[in-house]
Amino acid sequence: MPYQPQFKSPQIVGRYAPSPTGDLHFGNLRTALLAWLHARLQGGQFIVRMEDLDLPRVVAGSADQILRDLEWLGLDWDGPIVYQSERTDLYQRALLDLDALGLCYPCFCSRKDIQVAASAPHGNAGVYPGTCRSLSVSEVALRARNKSPATRLKVPPQMEASCGDFVILRSDAFFAYQLAVTVDDLEQGVTEVVRGADLIDSTPKQVYLAELLQPKRGRINYLHAPLMLDDKGRRMSKRDGSISAKQWREDGGSSEQLLAHLVTTAGIFEEPLDCIALEELIERVDIKRIAGKLSPMV
Ligand code: GLU
């Protein structure tokens, strides 16, 4: 019997949110598979959202290719695909709400300024030290003559050392990833976020943003999938030519073989598999086994 979603718990909503910046590599696909299994094994919904806000990085045709790859692997989704580039009104509204809370400020720092400040004796690598937090109105006006600022969100004192005030609107006027993702996850009713461990540092920021934007809503369950390494032990990346599903398919590989590779490298079964159909996979695993491979927010 081909796999049929059960929707026993439609209040559970999982998602996969790829950036259409190139072909999915096996690491991306493994994360998509784990996110899908995590939602479907609970009888939940699964949605796909294209994170195509960062237009200069978007590759023409990539979004369609990603959808073809997911379909080919057998991963289905509910409802229409949402494209972030069509939702900027929502992000704008959220930005105004955050500003109304008195939590936003313009930041003129360059990447280099931040690096220098963070490497000072009391600085904290990778954490914005709050340089522009208390600029006067006249100073902002003066600086704005030469440079468009980014907009940062103030974080509470307990987050200052670990995360620092972060950008929600970039200086090139694109909404930042943190803001757009959180607005979408809230608006789309997402309850389970399963994504790559490379995004683990983003999670506290998004928890904070979600609490500001929708304080009464229950907390999203954030889980992180281990990153897949290539045969040289390096993290896979879309840019370095890591093998893509498209390439695999063109070389005559089957989806059952690729599924077997993904579940084997994820350590889902004791023994390595050569081949497994999605229907068999969903029969043979349970939610505990999948959740056991994912790390919650630390
Ligand atoms: N669009 C991001 C990526 O492809 C993932 C964002 C997320 O899952 O929150 O890396």
Side-chain angles (χ1 to χ4, degrees):
M1 253 281 277
Y3 154 79
Q4 290 287 332
Q6 297 295 315
F7 300 120
K8 279 186 271 185
S9 311
Q11 75 283 5
I12 291 179
V13 182
R15 54 81 153 170
Y16 183 57
S19 303
T21 54
D23 292 339
L24 295 181
H25 56 62
F26 290 179
N28 300 134
L29 274 182
R30 193 174 71 179
T31 300
L33 175 65
L34 290 171
W36 182 87
L37 285 168
H38 191 265
R40 292 301 197 210
L41 286 169
Q42 297 179 83
Q45 302 184 59
F46 186 70
I47 58 180
V48 175
R49 179 172 74 230
M50 282 297 160
E51 302 208 326
D52 60 347
L53 264 194
D54 193 353
L55 290 179
R57 290 186 57 230
V58 167
V59 172
S62 168
D64 290 344
Q65 184 61 54
I66 289 174
L67 298 177
R68 273 199 294 274
D69 290 347
L70 296 178
E71 266 173 348
W72 174 74
L73 210 58
L75 308 187
D76 63 342
W77 55 85
D78 304 307
I81 305 293
V82 159
Y83 292 83
Q84 287 192 322
S85 56
E86 294 168 2
R87 294 161 67 83
T88 49
D89 287 358
L90 286 175
Y91 312 139
Q92 182 64 32
R93 215 173 309 142
L95 185 68
L96 294 178
D97 288 348
L98 296 167
D99 196 29
L101 295 172
L103 292 173
C104 299
Y105 65 90
C107 170
F108 296 90
C109 293
S110 64
R111 233 169 249 249
K112 183 133 181 271
D113 296 334
I114 299 170
Q115 257 168 14
V116 170
S119 57
H122 297 291
N124 207 341
V127 174
Y128 181 67
T131 321
C132 292
R133 220 189 216 224
S134 30
L135 293 180
S136 66
V137 175
S138 55
E139 203 155 353
V140 168
L142 195 68
R143 294 204 193 183
R145 283 196 209 157
N146 300 319
K147 194 170 191 250
S148 315
T151 301
R152 281 189 190 266
L153 183 73
K154 286 183 196 164
V155 298
Q158 68 273 22
M159 286 176 77
E160 271 170 27
S162 58
C163 130
D165 299 343
F166 56 91
V167 171
I168 51 175
L169 179 67
R170 294 169 16 178
S171 60
D172 56 9
F174 285 109
F175 290 100
Y177 158 73
Q178 307 294 356
L179 181 74
V181 164
T182 312
V183 168
D184 285 335
D185 284 336
L186 292 173
E187 198 274 334
Q188 296 189 279
V190 169
T191 60
E192 323 289 303
V193 168
V194 174
R195 59 185 171 198
D198 52 333
L199 290 167
I200 203 156
D201 290 347
S202 292
T203 299
K205 298 176 188 169
Q206 293 172 21
V207 169
Y208 170 57
L209 264 172
E211 279 165 2
L212 290 173
L213 291 169
Q214 280 192 22
K216 296 209 179 86
R217 187 190 197 273
R219 197 189 260 201
I220 295 173
N221 184 22
Y222 290 94
L223 295 164
H224 304 90
L227 298 179
M228 197 186 254
L229 303 177
D230 66 14
D231 39 13
K232 295 196 185 75
R234 295 170 313 190
R235 204 178 113 183
M236 288 194 171
S237 103
K238 286 180 186 162
R239 265 159 305 179
D240 72 6
S242 295
I243 180 164
S244 64
K246 182 170 157 232
Q247 180 75 50
W248 173 271
R249 200 162 52 234
E250 283 168 5
D251 291 348
S254 72
S255 62
E256 289 82 4
Q257 287 167 319
L258 184 52
L259 274 175
H261 177 64
L262 300 180
V263 295
T264 298
T265 56
I268 288 176
F269 298 111
E270 310 274 291
E271 76 287 6
L273 303 179
D274 291 328
C275 200
I276 190 165
L278 192 67
E279 302 80 60
E280 185 188 343
L281 175 60
I282 203 145
E283 288 284 305
R284 282 182 58 187
V285 288
D286 59 15
I287 179 64
K288 272 210 197 120
R289 193 179 284 233
I290 298 303
K293 299 294 164 200
L294 304 170
S295 46
M297 187 175 89
V298 281

